[in-house]
Amino acid sequence: MQTTVFETPIEFLKGVGPERAKLLKSELNIFTFGDLVCHYPFRYVDRSRFYKINEVNAELPYAQIIGKIRNISNAGANRQLRLTADFYDETGSIELIWFQGAKWVRKVLTENAEFIVFGKPVYFKGKLNIIHPELNLLKPKTGGQDLHGLENPSSREKPGGIGLTLQPVYSTTEKLSAMGLNSRGIQKLLSSLFEKIQGSIPENLSEDILLKWKLLKRNEALLKIHFPDNARALKMAQSRLKFEELFFIQIEILKIKMSREKGLRGLVFAKVGEMVNRFYKEILPFSLTEAQKRVIKEIRRDLGSGKQMNRLLQGDVGSGKTMVALMCMLIAADNNFQSCLMAPTEILANQHYRNILFLLEKLGLKTALLTGTTKAKERRELHQNLLNGEIKILIGTHALIEEEVKFKNLGLVVIDEQHRFGVEQRAKMQMKRPPDIPDESSEHPPEFRNPNDLAKVVSPPAFQSPPHVLVMTATPIPRTLAMTIYGDLDVSVIDELPPGRKPIKTLHFTDAQRLQLYGMMKKEISMGHQVYVVYPLIFESEKLDYKHLEEGLEALEISFPKPQFQISVVHGKMKQKGRELEMERFLKKETQILVSTTVIEVGVDVPNASVMVIENAERFGLSQLHQLRGRVGRGAEQSYCILCTGDKLGPDGRLRMQTMVQTNDGFKIAETDLQLRGAGDLLGTMQSGEINLRIANLALDGQILQAARKTAEEVLSDDINLAKPANLPVATQFAILQKGKKDWSRIS
Ligand code: ADP
Ligand code: MG
């Protein structure tokens, strides 16, 4: 493959010696010219804007002011010598301070000459100051004055000069800054880099695509992202580069998806037989909702198609995903395949097991439970019965992905509350099916660094038929995110709750309303209902969280005294046995209140519970709040979710509470969550995998993503191997990106 100028090692750039090169690599992962070019500014400072001094305040990130200097003075003792000067215009004055280089600065400060001062205003010793400002003479004498690395104004046209109205700001580190590579130092490197490579940056989008979306050429976009002439040029450059970034991700995802769909390697579940029919006629305790029926149909089509199913099932909390999963497992059983259901917590696995065991009793399908606490002896027996095929349905936690767990004939993997599992775990589960022809390598699933790598496991060598995979989540994922993380999965949505449910009423209470809250709780309890009280549990402040829980519990015990009231307590510090016992008491209605940390968050189903009280609600993210709220409202009665916070809330916290009070729609909540937290954070809690976006922002760039996806679809459906001449630029770039991915060794 042809190499491009982008692959030139960074050492070869003028101004980068071996030492700087070493630091650029270790600190910023900049190994090549290409890496430097793609080290985009994270922000721009508007140098076209000048402030009057009376407009300046410490909130401004930067201010640029024209004025004059007076009252230059040295202050402080020898070792702490500092230089100060008043800087004034017709509206007022501000102090300039230098702690370093005072002697030298002193020489160039001229009273009554006009300067442009640029810097971050701060409050220091009760006064507004700019410390170590950038300083330029407005009307330079011959030769001009250049302080602190600023080029003199006569060099304004040159890239990197202050003539740029939008000055880029680059991320850097202390070590790099100490070597002269602060933001401006990096800008200088880029300036000399562009002088060198400007003409030889290869285009990586086809002519058609550029024309269709009116995109800047790549070399122009890269130049303008670093050296924008104005806001409009910058915007165009950003759009082009965002498009490019998202486009190549989509090419990768869609290539995998399309080639998988072309192959005919899936296990075929040809029939719906006795198990399904009997279950449907004799056991199913309610009629399915239309949405459930539709989704089961979609899944059945997949299972019978000869293609491997990879389906994401989204449905709000309480929409009845478990029943859909169970029906699918019965289809597997009807076709003599085993299936398994993996849940993220022990409590949830137990609950699934109990419910399913109860439902399947009549059918005589052997169902087993495997969790971290399953005893060794039981475990051995269970392994045996999985291998000989006696166990048809296995339910458990991530204990299911341990090495020793081997199936005779695994046909379907259901993963519940998927956002709780790492991609790695998801992928390992799919390796659980022994290859149709022995293959040593399948015992060691590769490491997954990118969520989309999952799809590669899904397409193993041709002789293996992987099990079908159904991934379920109650955290609705914004479309943009789903298209990126789950872009290779088909999506089914249950958009309907079982009939008879009343929408949950959500209220926001502050501390002053505690009596009112207790009153509500008492009223509900007197009607025979039950109440959850949940405390956050955050790793860093675990101790504090437990203290909150304990104090809260004490207060509750006073207001809800025994024997009239009984309270269960469940938290992570308790032994498994104790937790189960307490949970059990609540399930059996022996207790009316369940006080817990977030262990109950996922999936637990107690239809009789009608109130969810969330303490310190401001400390929860939106999707978590929504999840918790979904624990109630499962019966026919009116249910309530009470968000308790202190009086003072930040703007984010306030918006979260408002959103919760205003809507029950999980998708709306997910969108707001994405806006608030950004994709990175959201992913952090949803996935252990990562998506590294350099410039695009999934919360903001939905439109560009749509365009990129559409374009990728068009390109691939016409030319899946990117072999046509018109697609050469795309193919070349794609190959480079793939190669870079394999080359993980260079990233420590
Ligand atoms: P989730 O989608 O949150 O996993 P579950 O599968 O736990 O929801 O279902 C929530 C509750 O709704 C369970 O008690 C379940 O038995 C009940 N349920 C599911 N489907 C229906 C239906 N079609 N009609 C009535 N109740 C249903
Ligand atoms: Mg569930």
Side-chain angles (χ1 to χ4, degrees):
M1 186 187 52
Q2 122 204 38
T3 58
T4 69
V5 62
F6 271 25
E7 287 159 86
T8 316
I10 195 70
E11 288 88 327
F12 291 100
L13 183 62
K14 202 181 88 195
V16 181
E19 261 179 90
R20 279 178 157 192
K22 209 169 132 199
L23 270 185
L24 282 169
K25 290 175 197 176
S26 62
E27 299 284 292
L28 293 178
N29 272 324
I30 294 177
F31 287 74
T32 61
F33 284 9
D35 293 337
L36 180 60
V37 168
C38 294
H39 187 62
Y40 303 137
F42 68 92
R43 161 165 94 70
Y44 299 81
V45 175
D46 185 358
R47 300 293 296 250
S48 65
R49 170 89 158 92
F50 289 91
Y51 287 84
K52 291 292 174 202
I53 286 174
N54 67 359
E55 297 172 309
V56 173
N57 59 58
E59 312 280 283
L60 291 176
Y62 284 94
Q64 183 168 243
I65 316 161
I66 296 176
K68 290 180 182 175
I69 283 177
R70 67 183 174 208
N71 298 339
I72 303 167
S73 83
N74 282 307
N78 282 349
R79 285 187 55 208
Q80 287 220 314
L81 192 68
R82 72 169 191 267
L83 179 69
T84 61
D86 278 348
F87 188 64
Y88 65 98
D89 65 7
E90 67 279 8
T91 70
S93 82
I94 186 171
E95 193 176 44
L96 308 180
I97 306 182
W98 290 266
F99 295 100
Q100 277 149 27
K103 232 164 137 187
W104 182 72
V105 176
R106 175 73 190 83
K107 279 190 214 151
V108 277
L109 289 182
T110 331
E111 298 215 359
N112 295 319
E114 280 204 300
F115 281 94
I116 301 171
V117 153
F118 176 80
K120 163 88 188 102
V122 289
Y123 268 105
F124 180 72
K125 301 214 164 152
K127 269 201 284 187
L128 206 52
N129 302 271
I130 298 181
I131 297 172
H132 288 197
E134 286 179 16
L135 199 56
N136 276 276
L137 266 180
L138 187 61
K139 294 192 194 84
K141 299 179 209 134
T142 37
Q145 305 261 3
D146 180 14
L147 297 187
H148 292 190
L150 273 185
E151 266 108 77
N152 72 50
S154 61
S155 67
R156 284 188 173 202
E157 306 75 38
K158 224 174 94 187
I162 62 156
L164 289 176
T165 51
L166 290 168
Q167 184 179 308
V169 184
Y170 294 93
S171 63
T172 176
T173 67
E174 259 176 52
K175 281 187 190 165
L176 280 165
S177 296
M179 296 276 289
L181 293 181
N182 57 10
S183 177
R184 296 198 52 90
I186 290 173
Q187 195 186 13
K188 277 186 193 153
L189 287 187
L190 278 157
S191 180
S192 60
L193 181 60
F194 272 96
E195 272 170 32
K196 197 165 165 159
I197 66 168
Q198 173 79 82
S200 45
I201 296 176
E203 180 53 63
N204 58 16
L205 294 176
S206 66
E207 203 61 42
D208 275 0
I209 298 175
L210 293 177
L211 275 176
K212 175 163 184 194
W213 299 102
K214 298 197 177 68
L215 298 171
L216 285 189
K217 285 208 180 311
R218 187 167 182 230
N219 58 6
E220 202 180 340
L222 286 171
L223 180 71
K224 297 294 172 195
I225 197 87
H226 293 290
F227 306 105
D229 304 322
N230 52 47
R232 191 167 168 270
L234 176 61
K235 185 112 208 294
M236 304 237 335
Q238 285 169 328
S239 300
R240 144 80 210 209
L241 295 171
K242 286 173 176 185
F243 182 95
E244 175 187 322
E245 179 165 52
L246 296 169
F247 172 76
F248 281 103
I249 292 175
Q250 290 302 323
I251 287 278
E252 180 177 8
I253 296 172
L254 290 172
K255 239 171 135 25
I256 292 164
K257 181 168 192 265
M258 286 178 176
S259 33
R260 187 176 66 222
E261 282 168 0
K262 271 186 155 181
L264 283 173
R265 284 185 246 101
L267 302 167
V268 180
F269 295 2
K271 61 175 183 190
V272 164
E274 195 202 340
M275 293 297 167
V276 173
N277 289 332
R278 279 188 55 201
F279 181 81
Y280 202 82
K281 286 195 197 114
E282 300 168 23
I283 302 171
L284 186 64
F286 37 69
S287 38
L288 296 173
T289 63
E290 287 309 309
Q292 282 170 319
K293 285 185 200 159
R294 176 176 37 90
V295 167
I296 291 172
K297 248 187 224 152
E298 286 167 0
I299 294 172
R300 263 196 58 195
R301 208 176 306 136
D302 285 358
L303 297 178
S305 72
K307 293 174 194 162
Q308 188 220 1
M309 174 175 76
N310 270 279
R311 197 167 271 282
L312 174 69
L313 174 54
Q314 288 197 42
D316 222 332
V317 271
S319 61
K321 294 185 290 295
T322 321
M323 194 47 73
V324 171
L326 182 57
M327 302 281 293
C328 296
M329 295 196 288
L330 292 175
I331 298 177
D334 268 337
N335 289 275
N336 281 320
F337 283 102
Q338 293 167 297
S339 46
C340 67
L341 168 60
M342 181 158 83
T345 63
E346 186 121 10
I347 289 181
L348 189 55
N350 279 319
Q351 182 181 307
H352 278 324
Y353 177 65
R354 261 201 305 261
N355 291 344
I356 290 177
L357 205 60
F358 174 75
L359 287 169
L360 297 189
E361 215 175 2
K362 261 192 179 169
L363 294 181
L365 264 188
K366 190 159 169 70
T367 304
L369 174 73
L370 175 65
T371 68
T373 54
T374 308
K375 298 260 159 44
K377 184 166 162 262
E378 255 174 84
R379 212 174 257 258
R380 272 195 299 277
E381 205 176 321
L382 192 140
H383 290 163
Q384 273 289 311
N385 291 335
L386 276 176
L387 259 183
N388 66 27
E390 200 175 304
I391 294 175
K392 297 291 189 256
I393 294 178
L394 179 65
I395 294 163
T397 55
H398 49 265
L400 296 193
I401 51 184
E402 280 159 17
E403 285 275 329
E404 323 82 71
V405 183
K406 296 197 177 93
F407 294 81
K408 179 182 183 205
N409 200 8
L410 181 61
L412 171 68
V413 174
V414 181
I415 302 179
D416 193 16
E417 305 298 348
Q418 127 73 21
H419 64 289
R420 282 305 180 107
F421 287 106
V423 176
E424 222 166 301
Q425 289 163 315
R426 241 201 302 165
K428 276 188 182 159
M429 209 48 230
Q430 304 192 41
M431 304 300 286
K432 282 290 169 192
R433 190 183 151 69
D436 299 341
I437 292 170
D439 172 15
E440 294 283 310
S441 68
S442 71
E443 290 291 304
H444 302 285
E447 252 189 73
F448 301 98
R449 295 189 185 259
N450 182 314
N452 301 319
D453 287 352
L454 167 66
K456 288 171 203 150
V457 180
V458 174
S459 330
F463 51 81
Q464 291 178 43
S465 291
H468 297 291
V469 178
L470 180 66
V471 161
M472 307 199 291
T473 177
T475 307
I477 300 155
R479 263 184 66 73
T480 53
L481 211 54
M483 267 181 353
T484 310
I485 321 168
Y486 300 119
D488 62 307
L489 304 188
D490 295 308
V491 179
S492 291
V493 180
I494 305 187
D495 50 7
E496 177 188 0
L497 293 179
R501 301 238 178 108
K502 292 203 177 73
I504 302 161
K505 283 197 179 129
T506 301
L507 305 167
H508 176 201
F509 281 7
T510 57
D511 289 333
Q513 287 154 297
R514 201 148 282 272
L515 274 181
Q516 195 183 336
L517 169 65
Y518 287 173
M520 267 188 72
M521 287 168 61
K522 283 204 173 123
K523 189 168 156 231
E524 286 295 311
I525 292 171
S526 74
M527 288 157 67
H529 301 154
Q530 289 163 290
V531 178
Y532 291 107
V533 181
V534 179
Y535 286 83
L537 185 59
I538 319 265
F539 265 139
E540 301 93 73
S541 59
E542 227 175 81
K543 260 205 186 126
L544 195 70
D545 287 338
Y546 282 121
K547 197 169 146 249
H548 284 155
L549 182 142
E550 274 153 22
E551 285 169 3
L553 184 60
E554 258 171 47
L556 278 173
E557 278 169 342
I558 293 168
S559 298
F560 296 83
K562 284 178 191 165
Q564 195 191 347
F565 298 98
Q566 299 288 335
I567 303 178
S568 289
V569 186
V570 178
H571 59 70
K573 270 189 174 173
M574 295 164 66
K575 291 249 166 61
Q576 175 70 21
K577 262 259 144 54
R579 265 190 283 173
E580 268 169 21
L581 221 76
E582 289 286 287
M583 221 32 232
E584 203 73 46
R585 293 208 303 146
F586 189 65
L587 277 166
K588 287 188 186 148
K589 301 188 197 173
E590 291 170 14
T591 61
Q592 295 89 35
I593 302 176
L594 176 72
V595 177
S596 80
T597 50
T598 33
V599 283
I600 62 139
E601 180 192 343
V602 190
V604 178
D605 192 21
V606 183
N608 189 50
S610 65
V611 184
M612 166 63 66
V613 179
I614 306 176
E615 296 283 356
N616 300 325
E618 73 276 11
R619 297 198 24 214
F620 290 98
L622 263 178
S623 63
Q624 222 179 351
L625 289 171
H626 183 61
Q627 284 277 323
L628 283 169
R629 175 167 62 186
R631 297 303 112 218
V632 295
R634 300 197 154 208
E637 312 289 335
Q638 178 63 55
S639 296
Y640 302 89
C641 173
I642 317 291
L643 308 167
C644 300
T645 70
D647 296 329
K648 291 210 176 91
L649 276 181
D652 266 23
R654 194 162 300 278
L655 181 59
R656 268 180 280 145
M657 298 311 126
Q658 273 167 6
T659 307
M660 286 295 294
V661 170
Q662 277 162 10
T663 182
N664 273 313
D665 179 337
F667 279 93
K668 268 192 201 145
I669 288 172
E671 291 289 348
T672 310
D673 206 19
L674 179 62
Q675 307 289 346
L676 276 175
R677 291 202 284 167
D681 258 23
L682 207 56
L683 278 171
T685 56
M686 286 171 36
Q687 295 279 336
S688 61
E690 59 199 288
I691 282 194
N692 288 318
L693 292 176
R694 277 181 187 275
I695 186 163
N697 176 336
L698 293 178
L700 304 174
D701 299 326
Q703 262 186 331
I704 299 180
L705 175 58
Q706 299 276 5
R709 172 134 178 140
K710 188 161 167 256
T711 311
E713 271 166 3
E714 283 165 7
V715 168
L716 289 175
S717 60
D718 173 54
D719 181 17
I720 188 152
N721 294 315
L722 299 173
K724 294 192 176 170
N727 290 326
L728 184 63
V730 174
T732 310
Q733 176 73 8
F734 184 66
I736 291 171
L737 292 173
Q738 292 303 103
K739 191 172 143 242
K741 279 211 171 131
K742 281 192 210 117
D743 201 8
W744 281 104
S745 54
R746 50 176 244 181
I747 293 170
S748 53

